[in-house]
Every structure is written in C-alpha cells, then in structure tokens.
Amino acid sequence: MRGNDNAGAKAADHLDFAEGLLDLFDASDRRRGDYLERIARVRARLGDDRFYLAVIGEFSSGKSTFINALLDAEIFAASALVTTSASVRVRYGPAFGVRAVFGDGSVWERTAGAGEHLDGARGPVKPADGGFDGEPTTRQVREHLERTGVLEALTILTTDPGVAPQVERVDVTYPSALLETGLVVIDTPGTNSGDGEHGHAHAAIARQVVTEADLAVVVSAESKIMTLSLQDFLTGALDEGLLARCCFVITYADQIEPDEFDDRRRDAARRIAGPLSLTDPPIIFASPKQVVAARRGTLPEDGAVWVERFGATRRWLHRIAALRRPAAVADTALRLLQELLDQLDRELEGEMRTLEKRQHELDAVAPADMEDFLADRLTAGVRSIRRAEKRALTRVGDLTDSATDGTESAIRAAIAPCGNGKAIENVVRNEVPSLVRDRLNTLAEGSATAVTEILRRELTTQAEALRAAFTAEYSKLERIDAAPLTGDTAHVGLAGIVVGADTFSAAAAIGADDSTRDALSFGGGVGAGALLGTMILPGIGTVVGGALGFVVGALFAADITKVRARATEKATAPVRPVFLEAGRQLKDAVAGSADGCEKELRRQAAWYRRTYSKTIDALHQEHHRRQKSLNSRRDRVRAAQKESAARGRSVTAERVRLRTVDRLNTTDPFGGWND
C-alpha cells in the first residue's frame, strides 16, 4: 500500500506541474478551461478507490459473453452487427439501472423495479429490433424506452441499428458481487467495424477508455487469436504505454485439448507479443460460455472446471487492476501533461514562425521606402497642380481681355449719343467711373470663381490620389497587425485658394474710395490710383482725368463730332493699361493660390509620412515585446519538456516493475497465482 500511496503522490505532482503550465495560455483561451477540467477529472480519479477494467474485442469474439460471465448476470446481448459507437460503463448499484446520453444532449434513465432483478437462470439476451420505421428521432426512442423494461431498454440502446448510433454514452448499475468490490467494467464497441467512419470513432473510444482504465482486457476467440484486423486496430488506437495496460483473454478455451495447452499458450504469446511489441504479455485462457451455461442450468459435465477456473480469472483480473492502478493513474496524468506540452510546443513554434514572417514583412515596408513612395507621388501631384495653375492663368488672361474689350466698347457707347460738350462732360465725370468699377468687379468675381474651381478640383483630385495610394500601402501594415488608419486623411485644405480670393475681391473696390473720386472731380491726371486690399491699380482717375481735361478745354468747339471722337479716344486709351495691370495682379494671385495648394498637398504627405513612421516604430516595439514573451514561453516549455521526460522515465520504470510482478506471480494459464 505504501507503494500505491507513493505512486498516487507522484500522479498528483504531475497534475500540479501540468496546472502550473496553464498560465502559458491567455486567460480568455477556452482550452485553459478544458485542461483545468481534465486535470480535475484525473484528480478525482486519484481519490476514487474503484478499479476500472476496460474490455476490447472484435464482434463475435465472445466479448459480451465474457462481461456477462464476469458480472454473473446476462445483461449484454451478443451481436455480430456494427451498432453503437458508445462505451458502456457498469458499476455497482443496489438495483439494475440504465442511463443513456444521446447525441443531442438529451438523457433517458430508468431503475428496475423489484420484479426486474436478474437473479437466477435465464435465457440469452438477443439483439434488439425496436420495430422503428427508418431511423427514429431521439424523442421517439425515449418514448419507446418508457414502454420497455430496463433489460430490453439496454439491449435496444446497444444493439438496435436505428437507435445505437445515436447514443453517446451508457451508464449501468448492477448489484454484482464483483462490482461491489470496487471494480468498474467498461465495454467498448466491437473493433472490426468494417468501415472508416465507425473505425475511427471506435479507435477514439478505445483510446479514451483505455487511458481512463487501470487494466484493459483484450478478448480474442481461441480460433482467431490476434487477427490482422484486431492487430491493426490495437496498434492504431493504442500507443506503447496503453498497450502495456492490456492483458489478453482467450475465449472458447474449452475447445482446446488439455495436452495442447502448453503449445497453444506459447503460440498465443508469439501471436500477441510480436505484432504488438510486448514482452511476456499476460494471457489468460477462459470459457465464459460455460459460466453463462451454469446460470442457465445447462452446464455440461466437463464444464464445471471452467466455471471454477473463471473464478480464478475474476480474482486475478481484480488483483492486476488494483496493482496497476497507481501506475495507470500516474501514466494518465503524465499523458495529460505531455499532451499539454505538445500543444504548447506546437503553438509556440507556430507563433515563432508568424513572428519571423512579420519581421520579414516589416523589413519589406521600411520607412525609407515610404519616403520614396510619397516623394514620387507628391512630385506627380505638384506637377498636376502647376498644370492647373497654367490653365487658371490662361482663364484669367481670357477674362481680362474680354473685360478690357467690353469696357472700351461700353465707354464708346456711352459717349456716342452726347450732343454737346456738357453732356460729354457729364458722361465722363459720372458714368465712366461707375462703368469701370462694375467691369473691374465683374472681372474680379469671374476670375475668383474660375480659378477657385480649377485649383480646388485639382487639389481635391491629387489629395484623393495621394490618400488612396497611402491607404493601399498602409493596408500592408494592417495585415501584420498595425492599428487601423485614423484621422481625416481625405481632408483637403483650401486656405491657399481663399487667400487668393481675397486678392481678387480688391479689384471690385477700385474707384470706390471717396478721396480718389474727389481727385477725379478736380481733374486728377493720369497716375492717380487706389490702394485697396492687396491690389494696387492705377485707378479710375487714369481713365477719367485725360478725357475730362480735354473736354473742359473744348466746351465751345464748333464741331461736336470731333469733340466726341477726341473725348472717346482720351477716355478709352488708359482702359487697356488699367485692365492689363489688374490682370497681372490677378495672375499673381493665381500663383499664390497654386502655392497654397502645393503647400496643402505637402502638408498631407508629411502627415502620412509621420503616421507611417510612428506605425512602423509601434510595430517594431510590439514585435520585440512579443519576441521577448515568446522566448520566455519557449524557455519554460523547453524546461517543462525536460522535466516531463524525466517524469516519463519514472512512470515507465513503474510499468516495467508491475509487469514483472504480474509475470512472477501468475502460476497457470487461467489466472491462478501464489501469494
């Protein structure tokens, strides 16, 4: 018992070690909870003083008959059909009861009444046919089971071809003397399913059940010891450690002649040990059918010896399960630990590869590349703005020429109807200034509208192109976990264009200054001007002064036609220089507005450059943080793997010791031993 206590302490230590590794998972990782739950189940197993015996065998190997003989009760039907993919656990209970869990999560359970106990002899249990039309629903199955007895319900759940595949687990309680000693028998589906779907499912069940069991009994018929299909199943489902938990029961042993036992025992050892790579595997010969026949009252005269021998087999199996339990539980704990380490190792390697890939991606999108990328697109954008500037200048020139011609024509049209000098003087003094002011105002407003539209459209186009190009490049960073691009990257500043418009509006105020108008009234000559806003023009005096001086001097001329012609000439002559100067300053305003557009585009490029550089720096910092964290995790996993390997060697040594004890104490091929 001291050895058992020591093995239990080792298993608990394995579990403590495994639980300590769980902080390598994120707190939100659901697998952390899954492993905690599994560790808790193994801890509970440590505190469970029952012994778990798994039974594995092909269909028609006598597996069900063997379990019935163990329990000394016929509760399992023998079936050669592929039916359930569920395990059936049989433990002690004061009454015969069945609890089934279906694939949809629903549960059905029933405990037998007083008249349903299986005491005494009874006939064989045959596979069930519930009489369902096609595959029934789970609800239909449960309703049908409510109308049956417990034994019939168990038979339907495990053998009915329409019901059994829907069952995930069956738990049975039974008042068996063997079970009352603390033994739990776990029946598994037949191994030779004949198809891939059932085969994989049955292999998974066998692996899980044997992992939970202290001892696994592999049942083979005497005429089919270790068939190729059974060999393939065992080597595929169980690894070396789980195979070491197996003992082998050869059924139908009553068909062997007594003088052939030694040869058949050696032959069985050769057939089992070689293919499974086992050394001296425990092998027991039995005839469970004779035990069942004794219950039915049909035991032949030569069958009594096999009933007696099976009693020894029961005791031997119980003893071996008890002996192997500490090592089996420790091995289960170690397997869970190793699975956890393997999981962490795979994840660690994957994360390291991902980190290396990210580093390559970071190297491929360095800030120097973005500097060239933005410089190329900025150069192209500035060129487009300057081409737009040329279009705007051409438009201002066209508007200026049109305004000049229109103003001259308007002055001629105003003077033409005048019949005397006084009328001409009135036109020149009062109408011409207003006319020039209106025409300059129209020129300024038209130029502002045209230039703003041309430059605004171009700046918007180039800013959007720059934004789209940068966003496409930045998305490469987002694929390596960069923060999403934030900020109003589509904003286009129009400050430069607005400044230009202020300059344009100054043209509309020419001649509005009262002092300028007073100067004109007194014959202010050519050179009088106005300084308004940011625009300096010769002023209305340029247009009025010369013509007014001529008219005043010719008030009494006889030929009014000549006076009118001369006055028109004097009044229109300065118009072109005035408008040309206005056009020149308007073009200067265009250049200023274009400079503003270029400045805005460069501002946006600078923002993109800073954003990209900051993002790259943040990615590098995060990369180094992850690398440091992963290196720390890797060191812990590597250290844990070394520790796990040492723990594994200890458990393996315990397995070898227990197998040696089994071999030394087994005195006959039926399970007898000497204490």
Side-chain angles (χ1 to χ4, degrees):
M1 294 301 294
R2 184 176 301 171
N4 288 0
D5 292 341
N6 185 50
K10 288 182 179 179
D13 183 55
H14 294 332
L15 295 174
D16 291 339
F17 185 68
E19 193 165 345
L21 294 175
L22 292 181
D23 61 359
L24 291 172
F25 289 106
D26 291 334
S28 59
D29 195 326
R30 66 173 182 79
R31 291 171 301 180
R32 179 186 176 93
D34 292 341
Y35 277 114
L36 278 172
E37 182 179 343
R38 293 175 61 186
I39 289 172
R41 287 203 302 268
V42 180
R43 286 193 192 279
R45 180 74 181 89
L46 274 175
D48 185 356
D49 57 1
R50 291 175 295 186
F51 311 121
Y52 287 76
L53 178 71
V55 183
I56 300 172
E58 295 188 315
F59 298 104
S60 301
S61 65
K63 178 169 64 76
S64 297
T65 304
F66 171 76
I67 296 175
N68 288 337
L70 272 181
L71 302 178
D72 196 22
E74 291 188 71
I75 63 174
F76 286 101
S79 174
L81 301 175
V82 177
T83 52
T84 184
S85 288
S87 61
V88 181
R89 286 167 170 77
V90 189
R91 60 180 175 81
Y92 177 77
F96 182 27
V98 175
R99 183 179 187 272
V101 180
F102 294 91
D104 62 359
S106 61
V107 176
W108 178 89
E109 56 185 320
R110 169 81 66 81
T111 300
E116 292 188 73
H117 284 296
L118 301 183
D119 295 331
R122 59 177 297 112
V125 181
K126 298 181 179 179
D129 181 0
F132 296 107
D133 185 13
E135 184 174 314
T137 65
T138 303
R139 179 178 179 180
Q140 290 173 326
V141 172
R142 295 200 308 271
E143 290 175 349
H144 180 74
L145 294 177
E146 289 295 331
R147 300 190 295 269
T148 67
V150 176
L151 180 60
E152 183 181 354
L154 176 61
T155 305
I156 291 173
L157 289 167
T158 56
T159 64
D160 188 289
V163 176
Q166 302 184 49
V167 180
E168 277 199 355
R169 172 171 171 153
V170 178
D171 290 291
V172 177
T173 58
Y174 191 75
S176 164
L178 182 67
L179 298 178
E180 195 172 9
T181 65
L183 192 69
V184 177
V185 178
I186 310 174
D187 184 24
T188 61
T191 61
N192 51 337
S193 64
D195 66 81
E197 180 181 357
H198 282 87
H200 291 307
H202 292 183
I205 291 173
R207 183 163 46 249
Q208 181 61 36
V209 167
V210 176
T211 300
E212 296 175 2
D214 303 312
L215 179 67
V217 176
V218 180
V219 179
S220 292
E222 186 277 332
S223 60
K224 299 179 180 179
I225 298 176
M226 196 50 60
T227 62
L228 287 177
S229 57
L230 180 60
Q231 174 187 327
D232 290 343
F233 179 88
L234 291 175
T235 55
L238 309 180
D239 58 31
E240 179 184 359
L242 293 179
L243 285 172
R245 296 191 192 184
C246 295
C247 70
F248 300 84
V249 172
I250 310 302
T251 61
Y252 301 101
D254 57 310
Q255 298 178 10
I256 303 174
E257 294 296 331
D259 59 354
E260 296 179 356
F261 257 111
D262 288 342
D263 291 340
R264 299 309 296 269
R265 189 178 187 182
R266 286 191 292 271
D267 181 60
R270 178 182 57 79
R271 291 190 182 190
I272 294 172
L276 301 182
S277 300
L278 295 175
T279 302
D280 291 337
I283 301 173
I284 300 298
F285 287 80
S287 182
K289 71 173 185 176
Q290 301 292 11
V291 179
V292 173
R295 283 186 53 83
R296 298 175 187 167
T298 59
L299 183 68
E301 291 184 5
D302 59 351
V305 65
W306 290 105
V307 175
E308 181 181 349
R309 288 170 174 172
F310 198 82
T313 299
R314 284 198 193 98
R315 294 189 297 274
W316 183 83
L317 290 173
H318 188 282
R319 177 176 180 271
I320 294 301
L323 281 173
R324 291 191 173 184
R325 179 181 180 278
V329 177
D331 180 60
T332 298
L334 190 66
R335 285 173 180 278
L336 180 57
L337 171 60
Q338 191 57 55
E339 180 185 333
L340 174 60
L341 285 171
D342 290 344
Q343 177 75 35
L344 288 170
D345 191 51
R346 287 192 300 271
E347 289 193 1
L348 188 65
E349 291 302 320
E351 290 181 32
M352 293 297 285
R353 287 193 297 271
T354 299
L355 198 66
E356 184 178 352
K357 178 183 177 183
R358 284 175 180 157
Q359 184 62 59
H360 290 322
E361 291 173 335
L362 278 173
D363 294 341
V365 290
D369 297 331
M370 177 52 63
E371 188 74 27
D372 295 340
F373 177 84
L374 288 174
D376 292 343
R377 279 148 186 80
L378 183 60
T379 298
V382 169
R383 287 173 181 168
S384 294
I385 288 174
R386 291 309 173 185
R387 287 193 292 269
E389 177 188 10
K390 291 180 180 179
R391 295 195 299 273
L393 290 173
T394 299
R395 181 60 176 154
V396 169
D398 293 342
L399 290 173
T400 301
D401 291 343
S402 177
T404 301
D405 295 341
T407 301
E408 290 177 341
S409 298
I411 292 175
R412 292 189 188 95
I415 295 175
C418 296
N420 54 57
K422 191 68 175 177
I424 294 173
E425 179 185 6
N426 181 60
V427 168
V428 171
R429 186 182 296 278
N430 297 313
E431 293 185 27
V432 168
S434 177
L435 187 151
V436 172
R437 281 197 304 274
D438 290 344
R439 297 293 173 139
L440 284 173
N441 183 65
T442 299
L443 173 61
E445 291 180 351
S447 296
T449 300
V451 172
T452 299
E453 177 63 23
I454 292 172
L455 293 182
R456 184 192 301 272
R457 183 188 302 116
E458 192 61 39
L459 176 58
T460 301
T461 299
Q462 296 308 316
E464 174 59 27
L466 184 62
R467 184 200 66 79
F470 177 78
T471 301
E473 287 297 306
Y474 192 89
S475 66
K476 298 176 182 178
L477 300 185
E478 292 180 347
R479 289 196 294 270
I480 51 175
D481 291 344
L485 189 61
T486 58
D488 187 8
T489 59
H491 172 71
V492 179
L494 299 173
I497 297 179
V498 173
V499 171
D502 290 340
T503 303
F504 299 149
S505 65
I510 295 299
D513 189 277
D514 290 339
S515 62
T516 303
R517 188 175 301 140
D518 292 342
L520 294 178
S521 300
F522 291 98
V526 176
L531 176 61
L532 298 167
T534 60
M535 198 168 187
I536 303 175
L537 293 176
I540 304 303
T542 304
V543 182
V544 176
L548 189 60
F550 167 76
V551 171
V552 171
L555 286 177
F556 303 102
D559 192 346
I560 191 62
T561 301
K562 291 182 179 180
V563 172
R564 191 165 51 239
R566 187 61 177 161
T568 299
E569 180 183 353
K570 289 289 187 179
T572 57
V575 168
R576 190 165 297 275
V578 168
F579 275 79
L580 286 176
E581 177 61 19
R584 184 190 67 77
Q585 295 196 36
L586 289 172
K587 289 180 178 180
D588 288 344
V590 170
S593 296
D595 290 343
C597 290
E598 179 179 339
K599 182 179 179 181
E600 171 61 22
L601 198 63
R602 291 185 181 279
R603 182 193 69 79
Q604 292 192 26
W607 185 90
Y608 292 140
R609 190 179 298 110
R610 290 193 304 273
T611 298
Y612 195 86
S613 181
K614 287 169 61 177
T615 301
I616 289 288
D617 290 343
L619 285 172
H620 276 295
Q621 291 176 6
E622 176 63 15
H623 174 82
H624 294 318
R625 186 195 68 78
R626 290 185 181 182
Q627 191 170 48
K628 183 178 179 180
S629 175
L630 286 176
N631 286 338
S632 175
R633 288 180 64 192
R634 180 170 58 185
D635 291 343
R636 285 194 61 185
V637 171
R638 296 292 182 266
Q641 286 174 328
K642 291 181 180 179
E643 174 67 16
S644 179
R647 292 168 181 267
R649 288 192 291 271
S650 173
V651 171
T652 300
E654 181 67 7
R655 288 199 202 106
V656 172
R657 185 187 70 80
L658 290 174
R659 286 202 300 270
T660 302
V661 171
D662 298 342
R663 186 169 61 250
L664 291 177
N665 287 339
T666 302
T667 59
D668 60 49
F670 315 113
W673 78 89
N674 292 326
D675 289 323

